[in-house]
Amino acid sequence: MARSGQEQEAESTAAFKVLKRAMELDSESRYQQALVCYQEGIDLLMQVLRGTKDVTKKCNLRKQISSYMDRAEIVKKYTDQEKEDGKYHRQIKIEENATGFSYESLFQEYLNETVTEVWIQDPYIRQIHQLYNFLRFCEMLIKRPCKVKTIHLLTSLDEGSGKEQQSSGLQEIKESLKNHGVLLELEYSSSVHDREIRHDSTQQCLQGDSICRFNNGWMIKIGRGLDYFKKPQSRFSLGYCDFDLRPCHETTVDIFHNKHTKKI
């Protein structure tokens, strides 16, 4: 169905708004975020191009798209070089009651078809809502484009009344993942906060952090681990199912590439 002129104008405005943000981030040397905005803006502009009939407008749009694509290629080289040099570090501050930070929104940028193995260190996968958080995280991992085959979880053992609930819950998740061809390897530690997790061939270790690490080199540290969502107001309130609508606790997310972990 052909789009109206007003719809095309709205799409064009949205595209250039995103591309403007890309150029701002680019000028601030925030290349990873800039690249994401360039890619999103170019995709939006391509949609406008496909819906444009005017020959002159199509020609101008092609030139603009080509120019933005050239710049995006340069920015991509910058981000690749940052990773090679071990300088990549991005920090996201999640404010109290902020929304829009589901696992998909936070992690998807770093997940691709090369991800086959994931390591998770989180001391608090114990209570029922924390088990559900971990389950939701696993659901994200088995969706495309990932080809995850193994998930390693290091957590602490609940020594209280919730021990059986934790054990049975994680076992059920393990069996469910197995049905999807994914192995869940569980490890418990009473001193997980002091646990040293080695990163591939590096000799340095990270201690006392909640960490998600992917075998494509990305590592995400979350101050509150996977449990950064607030309890929903009721079972029928917005955000109960869609975690992008769920208010968050205040926390900080630090994102590194593998080579940078040598210096932490």
Side-chain angles (χ1 to χ4, degrees):
M1 183 181 293
R3 293 189 294 274
S4 68
Q6 286 184 332
E7 288 175 324
Q8 288 185 339
E9 186 65 30
E11 289 176 350
S12 179
T13 300
F16 284 113
K17 183 177 180 180
V18 174
L19 289 165
K20 180 182 178 183
R21 179 57 178 157
M23 290 186 290
E24 290 172 351
L25 292 166
D26 191 349
S27 67
E28 296 170 4
S29 299
R30 296 164 65 182
Y31 297 124
Q32 182 66 28
Q33 295 112 304
L35 183 59
V36 172
C37 288
Y38 276 125
Q39 291 169 337
E40 182 182 345
I42 290 168
D43 286 343
L44 290 171
L45 216 51
M46 289 292 288
Q47 293 177 29
V48 175
L49 176 63
R50 286 192 288 268
T52 301
K53 303 300 181 184
D54 185 276
V55 176
T56 302
K57 287 183 179 180
K58 286 176 78 76
C59 183
N60 288 334
L61 281 169
R62 287 195 182 99
K63 288 179 181 179
Q64 289 173 308
I65 290 170
S66 178
S67 176
Y68 286 122
M69 289 179 71
D70 288 344
R71 183 58 194 173
E73 282 297 319
I74 294 172
V75 171
K76 186 178 185 303
K77 289 179 181 179
Y78 288 158
T79 61
D80 290 343
Q81 191 61 50
E82 282 184 337
K83 286 184 281 185
E84 287 297 317
D85 294 344
K87 295 179 180 178
Y88 187 91
H89 175 216
R90 176 186 178 191
Q91 186 174 84
I92 300 171
K93 293 184 178 180
I94 300 177
E95 303 294 340
E96 186 76 8
N97 292 316
T99 57
F101 291 98
S102 67
Y103 297 140
E104 286 83 359
S105 297
L106 197 59
F107 290 96
Q108 205 161 43
E109 180 180 338
Y110 308 99
L111 298 173
N112 54 37
E113 65 278 359
T114 66
V115 177
T116 59
E117 196 166 7
V118 179
W119 291 261
I120 305 162
Q121 173 183 307
D122 191 328
Y124 298 110
I125 309 292
R126 301 179 184 177
Q127 299 177 26
I128 189 69
H129 75 279
Q130 294 167 342
L131 290 165
Y132 276 124
N133 285 343
F134 179 63
L135 175 61
R136 188 175 291 268
F137 182 80
C138 291
E139 288 174 339
M140 174 192 69
L141 291 176
I142 67 168
K143 294 178 182 178
R144 293 183 179 180
C146 296
K147 297 179 181 178
V148 173
K149 295 300 180 184
T150 308
I151 300 172
H152 305 265
L153 173 64
L154 172 65
T155 190
S156 60
L157 186 64
D158 190 331
E159 300 289 356
S161 58
K163 183 176 182 179
E164 184 177 344
Q165 174 181 268
Q166 180 193 33
S167 178
S168 62
L170 287 173
Q171 190 60 39
E172 285 185 41
I173 294 173
K174 182 172 183 174
E175 289 300 316
S176 183
L177 284 167
K178 185 179 178 181
N179 293 335
H180 288 270
V182 179
L183 173 66
L184 173 60
E185 293 193 344
L186 297 170
E187 183 179 354
Y188 299 97
S189 172
S190 59
S191 57
V192 67
H193 282 298
D194 300 318
R195 180 79 176 202
E196 295 184 348
I197 304 297
R198 293 190 179 276
H199 296 272
D200 298 331
S201 60
T202 68
Q203 297 302 309
Q204 295 298 318
C205 306
L206 293 174
Q207 296 181 294
D209 293 302
S210 293
I211 304 165
C212 297
R213 181 167 63 90
F214 308 125
N215 69 322
N216 62 354
W218 291 108
M219 184 180 72
I220 293 91
K221 298 197 301 176
I222 309 175
R224 295 184 61 95
L226 295 179
D227 190 13
Y228 58 87
F229 297 104
K230 289 193 169 184
K231 183 179 179 180
Q233 293 180 338
S234 73
R235 290 181 298 168
F236 300 102
S237 61
L238 294 178
Y240 187 87
C241 298
D242 188 341
F243 274 34
D244 267 322
L245 301 175
R246 180 79 68 88
C248 299
H249 292 286
E250 181 180 353
T251 193
T252 301
V253 181
D254 288 283
I255 300 158
F256 302 92
H257 195 261
N258 179 263
K259 291 192 176 184
H260 190 55
T261 64
K262 295 178 181 180
K263 301 178 182 180
I264 293 178

